[in-house]
């Protein structure tokens, strides 16, 4: 999980990441790839999106820490983010 | 557009609708169908979702009213909502 990609939020404790895209096609490709990861891991972050952005939120459990599973999902989603080079 | 389905919000002016599902598969089927409508209409509401819910928001334009196009998208999305009978 890249330190610059996700932000650890305190109240309520959660991991958040925003990704922006050039067009809707790229947004949808990303969402489809994220959905595959979620289904495979059986772990479903809260996701909000519009035409050219996606916000992902991975919530902490009752112990107020993000689970290992949540962090694994975050790492796998990181790998789906297009590199801007 | 069903009156019970969408709520007209004032600040900022917008239409909102929440739909709940039994499982992720149903959620994803709905999201895929909504994506088809959005692409066809070239109109992209803000959408947030988790494993078993989807929230849709259609924002007003600068004139503070939701456009005819936005209302058409809302109507078409209404037809995609599974009936609970």
């Amino acid at each position: 999980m890249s330190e610059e990609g996700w932000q650890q939020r305190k109240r309520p404790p959660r991991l958040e990441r925003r990704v922006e895209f050039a067009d809707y096609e790229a947004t949808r490709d990303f969402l489809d790839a994220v959905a595959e990861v979620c289904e495979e891991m059986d772990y479903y972050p809260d996701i909000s999106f519009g035409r050219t952005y996606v916000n992902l939120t991975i919530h902490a459990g009752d112990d107020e820490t993000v689970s290992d599973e949540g962090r694994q999902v975050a790492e796998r989603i990181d790998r789906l983010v297009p590199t801007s080079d």
Side-chain angles (χ1 to χ4, degrees), chain A:
Chain A
M1 193 173 70
S2 65
E3 288 306 311
E4 73 276 18
W6 295 79
Q7 291 193 295
Q8 177 92 50
R9 300 284 190 171
K10 291 271 167 69
R11 291 165 191 271
R14 62 197 189 277
L15 288 177
E16 288 186 349
R17 175 162 193 170
R18 179 182 175 94
V19 190
E20 297 189 359
F21 299 92
D23 53 33
Y24 177 71
E25 194 183 352
T27 302
R28 192 171 175 194
D29 287 347
F30 177 75
L31 286 169
D32 284 345
V34 168
E36 297 302 321
V37 167
C38 296
E39 284 178 66
E40 200 181 307
M41 305 276 297
D42 194 25
Y43 189 103
Y44 300 92
D46 283 331
I47 298 175
S48 65
F49 67 98
R51 196 174 67 83
T52 58
Y53 75 90
V54 177
N55 284 321
L56 302 124
T57 304
I58 293 173
H59 291 283
D62 290 340
D63 62 356
E64 305 219 330
T65 63
V66 174
S67 66
D68 287 346
E69 200 184 15
R71 290 181 181 276
Q72 278 173 41
V73 169
E75 274 173 37
R76 291 196 51 185
I77 290 171
D78 276 340
R79 286 182 234 145
L80 304 174
V81 176
T83 52
S84 55
D85 50 16

